[in-house]
Amino acid sequence: MDIVIRTTAGQAERLTAALVADYLRAHPRAVLGCATGRTFEPVYAMLAAMHAEGGLNFRGVTTFNLDEYVGLDQADRRSFRAYMVEHLFSKVDIAAENAHLPDASAPDLAAECRAYEQAIQDAGGIGLQLLGIGLTGHIGFNEPGSALQSRTRTKALSELTRRQNAESFGGVENVPLRAITMGIGTILDARTCLLLATGEAKAQVVADALEGPVSASVPASALQFHPDCAVVLDEAAASRLKNTSYYVSTYEREPEWAPYRERGL
Ligand code: F6R
């Protein structure tokens, strides 16, 4: 796991956007796993700006989102599909048929989950998976207790997660109780994972996930098993880590990060 700490959230977001853009330029037919949430809004804005400036295209890119709320119609403005349309899909040249989210309004959710796994496989597997982390330690909507080898399925949302997402629903009581989510096993199958966390509120869960024991109680800790996972943090999100000087020196000294240092990222 490569843990990188940048001073500000803006720097962490710019580095993340640069990593995604470089991946898409190197893999014009990339299969990109997308996360929603507040953390990624600035990153998608930066990717959209790069597209507008002519330096990045999504013509051959296929996307698969991590999750979707059960019961919300895909046209619902609170759905993750609506989030993706607002923040990315409407702003870049991705083909509509290549932008996938689980259909959580499907009559047979188990069949939808199987079909989603199959669609990922048929696309050749996810090349780069973007991840945020929830206050419960979830990745996707894999709440604590999720099997570390789980596949796409429906999952009950925890109270804390529902509170975390209450704002867009006008109150916690309106937040759906369940979601379809890629499983932890599905996420670990991605060839590369890239987790971004910013802000003091994430500091403890980031420390638990990155430096604590691997445990279903902190689902993001499963990323410790992944052979190619980068974690980008701002100083606030990194503030409870113990091995900080090592992570700082990774970015400052390791040759793989030189191109980013040279670009002032
Ligand atoms: C969203 C997702 C979640 C979020 C996490 C962080 O598709 O899968 O795991 O990444 O809840 O959300 P924010 O960024 O809003 O703090």
Side-chain angles (χ1 to χ4, degrees), residues 130-169:
L130 307 181
L131 296 165
I133 183 170
L135 296 174
T136 62
H138 69 214
I139 44 176
F141 271 149
N142 293 286
E143 297 287 29
S146 292
L148 300 182
Q149 295 188 332
S150 49
R151 311 302 305 185
T152 301
R153 69 213 182 292
T154 57
K155 192 75 195 160
L157 298 177
S158 70
E159 263 318 289
L160 181 54
T161 295
R162 292 179 67 237
R163 279 206 302 276
Q164 194 191 323
N165 291 289
E167 195 183 307
S168 29
F169 288 88

Side-chain angles (χ1 to χ4, degrees), residues 35-39 66-67 80 132-134 138-141 164 202:
T36 56
R38 283 174 289 267
T39 310
L66 285 162
D67 38 24
F80 285 155
I133 183 170
H138 69 214
I139 44 176
F141 271 149
Q164 194 191 323
K202 299 282 174 71

